Amino acid sequence: MASKTIEDVLFPGIDVRVQGVNDSSGILVVEAVSTARPGRCPNCRKQARRVHSAYQRTLDERPLGSRRVIVRLRVRRYFCDRKSCSRTTFVEQVRGLSARYRRSSTGLAGWLRSIAIELGGRPAARLCRRLRLTAGRTRLLRLLTAPTVPDRAPRVLGVDEFRLP
């Protein structure tokens, strides 16, 4: 039987290295660093070559037992070297863990979305409190946004008119 590392238990299949774990007052704080290859620019899709800087993001993660989990993730900011691209820098996103402009992990967001779909606003918020998830009714309802319309959607729709006398 092979022994598992803490990365395999907390972040299976995700390119991060855990640097430390701190357990205080029922909250598990995990210090992690991204180990993924350099990201691609979201605008022009060119792979980055130069690191601009690094900073720490704080993400809420799914609870582990009765403990709330917070991930302090160190990510890199890259330069986009393509002259025609309007973006000069961009931040890497760790696939399976982080998404742009989000303060919770993609796993936690998936859980919350499922709860919101099944229960709606206030009942879902009550269940989240029982599960030790931090989510209010408005946050849960915001997760229920309509899917985006594809780029190839028709621009003009025809409507047949019909009227009985």
Side-chain angles (χ1 to χ4, degrees):
M1 178 186 217
S3 62
K4 292 193 177 233
T5 63
I6 194 164
E7 287 89 359
D8 294 334
V9 174
L10 292 177
F11 309 111
I14 299 174
D15 295 327
V16 295
R17 184 179 71 242
V18 174
Q19 291 187 320
V21 177
N22 184 10
D23 183 15
S24 61
S25 67
I27 298 176
L28 196 66
V29 179
V30 179
E31 304 280 340
V33 176
S34 170
T35 59
R37 293 179 39 208
R40 294 186 177 274
C41 174
N43 287 5
C44 67
R45 306 301 302 158
K46 182 179 182 193
Q47 187 162 4
R49 293 186 179 165
R50 297 186 303 144
V51 175
H52 177 276
S53 60
Y55 73 96
Q56 191 175 54
R57 291 180 67 177
T58 302
L59 300 170
D60 285 333
E61 178 58 289
R62 293 167 287 196
L64 189 63
S66 64
R67 291 187 175 104
R68 183 175 166 216
V69 178
I70 296 175
V71 178
R72 291 196 178 133
L73 179 65
R74 190 144 190 86
V75 292
R76 297 166 286 201
R77 179 176 287 279
Y78 293 103
F79 285 105
C80 180
D81 293 326
R82 184 167 281 172
K83 300 285 185 199
S84 60
C85 184
S86 62
R87 191 179 284 271
T88 55
T89 64
F90 61 95
V91 176
E92 71 179 325
Q93 300 302 322
V94 179
R95 185 179 303 270
L97 185 61
S98 67
R100 292 176 69 189
Y101 309 117
R102 301 286 182 235
R103 292 185 181 161
S104 59
S105 69
T106 53
L108 178 60
W111 275 21
L112 294 176
R113 188 175 299 108
S114 297
I115 291 170
I117 288 170
E118 293 299 324
L119 297 176
R122 286 190 176 100
R126 285 193 299 269
L127 178 63
C128 287
R129 276 195 300 276
R130 298 286 307 244
L131 295 174
R132 296 181 191 251
L133 300 173
T134 53
R137 63 184 174 89
T138 55
R139 178 181 178 191
L140 291 165
L141 291 175
R142 250 184 278 125
L143 292 172
L144 299 178
T145 57
T148 59
V149 178
D151 292 337
R152 293 186 184 168
R155 298 213 182 263
V156 178
L157 295 176
V159 178
D160 292 336
E161 293 182 21
F162 180 76
R163 180 176 174 214
L164 291 174

